[in-house]
Amino acid sequence: MVRDTLKINLNRKLHSLKFLIIAFLLFLLFTNSTEKKPETFAVATRHHIASDIGMGVLRAGGNAVDAAVAVAFALSVVNPSAGNLGGGGFMLIHLAEREETIALDYRERAPKKSSQDMFLNAEGNVIKGLSLNSTLSAGIPGTVAGLFYAIENFGSFEVESLIKPSIKLAREGFVLSNFQSKNINKYKKKFLSNKDAKKIFTRSEGFKENDLLIQEDLANTLERILINGKKEFYSGITSKRIINFYKKNGGIFSQEDFQEYKVKKLRPICGAYRIYKVCSMPPPSSGGIALIQMLNVLENFDISKLEHNSLEYLNILISTMDYAFFDRAKYLGDPEFFEVPQNMLTSKKYALEIFKNIKAKKPAPKANIKFTESEETTHFSIIDKWGNVVSNTYTLNTAYGSGIVPTGTGILMNNEMDDFSLKPGYPNAYGLVGSEANKIEPKKTPLSSMSPIIVFQNNKPLLISGSPGGSTIITTVLQEIINVLDFGMNLEESSKQSRIHYQNLPDIVFHEDLKFEIIEILSKRKKLAKRKLGETHSILLFDKNIEAVSDNRRPDGKASTILQQ
Ligand code: GLY
């Protein structure tokens, strides 16, 4: 009897234990599924085909770096004005699990035989066009090395699968949009002096919308890169074709220049702005320092209380930009060749001094120079389902770079040497002046304005953005940050706002479409000029939601998001 009672009790206990275990497992399952992060990912680029390729990689389980590499190769085919193999750029990578952000500098380097006065005549004057359209205008390209560095260190897919779609696009051609056909025709003159560029990028009757752009040589080059890896570009047939072409045509490239090319892994430059952390590119970009400096100054104003694009707001913005661009010209260059006072320029103390000057209506000093207009470069933003981020800006410098395609490569070469200061005080294609800090030296990297950004809130990515537009990149990105963080706009709203650009020299405020009353008052104090500024390609993460926008200042871009709760 006692035994039976014990048995029953034991059975009951086992039964309730079993119940407890099942309840516990169900609890675990339930809490896991409710706490499971939504599968969220997004891509925003300058061209819809490249965006679709990037989204395809993310859907197939690739990470943000895999998608970025596929997008960059695709843009080299479908966005020939700025997407490239013959140029360079900057990639910010945020690795979610390691909570680490990395900056890759894969920008062009000056050839070993370059010299400070290589673009000057015997009288010491700059020879017009030499730094933009000649075989002396290119730096050693870094894009192929940069993309391989990214995939080898942070990717998860084989690089072959990421290049393949671009080979097909180059070989079979892609359909030109109305904008693209007109844009290629606009630069016809640039292509006419180079045999291969003329063959690929000109038609006697001009390109029309829906024409196919086939790039057979580029397809073959991409195929050799797929087979031989990055060495194809730095010591293989491709490098030999580029070097031989340049040697034959008055250039100074050598095999060592290519073989010695190195990607630089840098610490991004980050600053605190109100409750946020803003990270961007350190020197040799001027973007990161200028952005942090301007945000530090703006932090002293109660921006959110001001009316957007009101006179008071614009005056603050213009004065802040004034100081940042004065410092850019004076202090910024390749930090391996010139000691950039980064800590001073990005300190809150220095910003407070500028703030006081602005309050006292004291502008930054100036010199008198002229301004030539030009803009190109391209940015893309990507986030994967794990929260890894790529914010990448790369370029050939001006549209289609130098317009030079070395024989049999299909590669448009950059004209990035123009981003050096050719002579103190002499403006480059973006009207930017420089000094000792950015003079030409062998193996040096020209100063850039490219500013890919990632903004964090509570250590999680909040805003990913960037833009083309030379010097206007910095001010465009600044206004995207302020619109979102201070004025509480979403990306769509932000993209519709008229932006301004001011860079100390020339003393002109460029604006897109300010209100008549504002123009009337502002023009009494400053010279104003209307000008279209660069488009942003941004991703915003908020309240478990996601927004991606390729703003329609230029057509053909595409931003896609997936949000699976
Ligand atoms: N070539 C334009 C820039 O790097 O800023």
Side-chain angles (χ1 to χ4, degrees):
M1 180 74 183
V2 174
R3 247 169 144 209
D4 275 348
T5 317
L6 273 177
K7 212 169 161 189
I8 290 166
N9 277 346
L10 193 67
N11 273 344
R12 271 195 194 138
K13 273 190 181 150
L14 277 176
H15 192 72
S16 36
L17 194 67
K18 236 196 264 169
F19 176 77
L20 273 176
I21 290 170
I22 290 168
F24 182 65
L25 285 175
L26 278 173
F27 170 75
L28 276 184
L29 199 72
F30 178 73
T31 48
N32 265 354
S33 68
T34 51
E35 274 179 12
K36 209 175 122 200
K37 274 198 188 151
E39 287 217 332
T40 304
F41 51 93
V43 174
T45 90
R46 177 73 187 81
H47 199 282
H48 56 96
I49 295 177
S51 296
D52 289 346
I53 286 175
M55 285 299 276
V57 173
L58 296 180
R59 272 200 194 90
N63 67 24
V65 174
D66 298 321
V69 170
V71 163
F73 276 115
L75 288 171
S76 77
V77 179
V78 299
N79 184 30
S81 64
N84 67 80
L85 300 183
F90 300 136
M91 186 183 285
L92 280 192
I93 302 173
H94 176 69
L95 302 168
E97 207 174 280
R98 279 156 51 176
E99 293 198 352
E100 189 186 353
T101 309
I102 290 146
L104 296 186
D105 163 9
Y106 61 93
R107 189 160 162 81
E108 300 88 334
R109 320 278 179 227
K112 275 180 161 176
K113 285 197 188 131
S114 55
S115 60
Q116 193 181 346
D117 56 1
M118 63 189 276
F119 297 112
L120 306 183
N121 63 18
E123 288 76 46
N125 297 320
V126 173
I127 305 166
K128 273 221 165 97
L130 206 60
S131 61
L132 284 167
N133 308 317
S134 78
T135 48
L136 291 176
S137 66
I140 309 303
T143 295
V144 175
L147 299 183
F148 271 85
Y149 187 99
I151 202 73
E152 282 162 7
N153 289 280
F154 310 108
S156 66
F157 276 19
E158 293 297 325
V159 71
E160 290 78 10
S161 64
L162 307 173
I163 302 180
K164 258 188 189 153
S166 303
I167 298 175
K168 189 166 152 54
L169 281 168
R171 193 161 325 277
E172 293 174 11
F174 70 97
V175 176
L176 290 174
S177 68
N178 185 30
F179 172 85
Q180 279 189 311
S181 57
K182 285 186 180 143
N183 193 259
I184 296 182
N185 295 341
K186 183 171 132 189
Y187 288 95
K188 186 170 183 175
K189 223 172 121 202
K190 205 176 216 186
F191 304 125
L192 289 178
S193 44
N194 176 270
K195 198 167 132 267
D196 282 36
K198 185 177 167 195
K199 195 176 80 194
I200 303 164
F201 296 111
T202 70
R203 297 276 183 280
S204 48
E205 69 287 9
F207 284 101
K208 295 181 303 300
E209 183 179 4
N210 294 331
D211 278 355
L212 268 188
L213 183 67
I214 293 171
Q215 300 171 83
E216 195 67 42
D217 283 343
L218 183 59
N220 293 336
T221 297
L222 284 164
E223 204 158 66
R224 290 195 305 277
I225 292 174
L226 181 145
I227 295 164
N228 302 322
K230 70 168 179 271
K231 69 176 190 298
E232 170 59 33
F233 195 89
Y234 294 95
S235 56
I237 292 173
T238 304
S239 73
K240 290 187 174 42
R241 285 188 186 165
I242 296 173
I243 294 159
N244 287 344
F245 176 88
Y246 272 75
K247 273 187 181 160
K248 265 196 213 152
N249 293 282
I252 52 172
F253 283 174
S254 68
Q255 190 67 64
E256 296 88 76
D257 281 326
F258 276 66
Q259 263 157 0
E260 289 171 16
Y261 184 90
K262 280 202 171 51
V263 174
K264 292 175 191 170
K265 182 179 163 211
L266 306 171
R267 268 170 58 154
I269 178 156
C270 298
Y273 180 63
R274 308 193 197 278
I275 57 165
Y276 309 98
K277 183 169 98 172
V278 179
C279 292
S280 189
M281 200 62 206
S285 173
S286 57
I289 288 187
L291 277 173
I292 303 299
Q293 178 180 330
M294 289 193 286
L295 289 169
N296 282 344
V297 174
L298 292 171
E299 206 174 34
N300 294 288
F301 296 94
D302 204 348
I303 301 287
S304 62
K305 293 262 160 60
L306 302 175
E307 191 191 326
H308 186 262
N309 279 353
S310 62
L311 199 60
E312 190 181 353
Y313 171 63
L314 291 171
N315 278 331
I316 291 170
L317 214 50
I318 292 163
S319 305
T320 307
M321 291 172 182
D322 190 18
Y323 277 92
F325 277 91
F326 174 76
D327 284 343
R328 181 197 191 277
K330 188 169 173 190
Y331 294 117
L332 292 187
D334 182 346
E336 289 188 10
F337 291 76
F338 183 86
E339 203 171 323
V340 176
Q342 181 167 321
N343 292 341
M344 183 274 278
L345 292 171
T346 56
S347 71
K348 300 276 183 196
K349 189 166 159 257
Y350 183 60
L352 198 61
E353 281 170 34
I354 297 175
F355 167 73
K356 283 179 187 157
N357 284 342
I358 293 173
K359 284 297 236 190
K361 300 199 172 7
K362 202 171 137 201
K366 275 192 193 14
N368 195 20
I369 58 138
K370 71 170 194 44
F371 184 65
T372 49
E373 228 180 275
S374 175
E375 59 174 70
E376 262 312 330
T377 292
T378 193
H379 177 85
F380 57 82
S381 299
I382 298 178
I383 185 161
D384 67 24
K385 62 182 172 188
W386 298 281
N388 302 306
V389 168
V390 168
S391 183
N392 185 91
T393 314
Y394 75 150
T395 189
L396 290 166
N397 192 23
T398 58
Y400 308 93
S402 59
I404 292 171
V405 175
T407 312
T409 63
I411 296 174
L412 268 166
M413 293 293 288
N414 70 84
N415 53 3
E416 216 69 68
M417 293 297 282
D418 187 67
D419 269 350
F420 279 115
S421 165
L422 308 184
K423 185 182 160 175
Y426 188 85
N428 73 357
Y430 304 99
L432 292 163
V433 289
S435 57
E436 194 66 15
N438 189 32
K439 71 177 183 195
I440 304 171
E441 291 177 76
K443 296 190 89 168
K444 191 173 176 178
T445 311
L447 186 61
S448 173
S449 298
M450 291 188 287
S451 317
I453 59 145
I454 308 175
V455 178
F456 297 87
Q457 185 177 16
N458 300 328
N459 287 330
K460 295 265 174 289
L462 173 77
L463 171 67
I464 309 152
S465 187
S467 161
S471 53
T472 71
I473 292 174
I474 305 173
T475 47
T476 294
V477 172
L478 176 77
Q479 286 162 93
E480 183 87 325
I481 295 174
I482 299 292
N483 286 353
V484 172
L485 303 189
D486 286 302
F487 290 106
M489 293 180 198
N490 62 30
L491 297 177
E492 196 58 49
E493 286 163 339
S494 174
S495 75
K496 291 195 177 110
Q497 307 302 320
S498 169
R499 296 187 191 124
I500 64 154
H501 172 74
Y502 184 68
Q503 62 178 48
N504 181 266
L505 283 172
D507 193 6
I508 301 171
V509 177
F510 295 95
H511 72 98
E512 292 181 309
D513 197 15
L514 288 175
K515 282 189 201 144
F516 178 72
E517 315 87 82
I518 299 284
I519 295 173
E520 240 189 359
I521 305 170
L522 208 56
S523 60
K524 291 193 179 119
R525 190 166 80 79
K526 285 266 175 232
K527 195 169 170 208
L528 300 189
K530 232 174 158 171
R531 179 183 169 186
K532 202 163 139 194
L533 298 169
E535 84 283 0
T536 49
H537 298 277
S538 307
I539 298 172
L540 179 64
L541 296 120
F542 57 101
D543 304 334
K544 293 196 176 147
N545 219 324
I546 188 163
E547 185 192 11
V549 168
S550 285
D551 96 37
N552 62 9
R553 277 172 175 75
R554 292 205 198 137
D556 303 334
K558 184 173 176 182
S560 307
T561 58
I562 292 283
L563 178 65
Q564 286 164 359
Q565 297 284 0

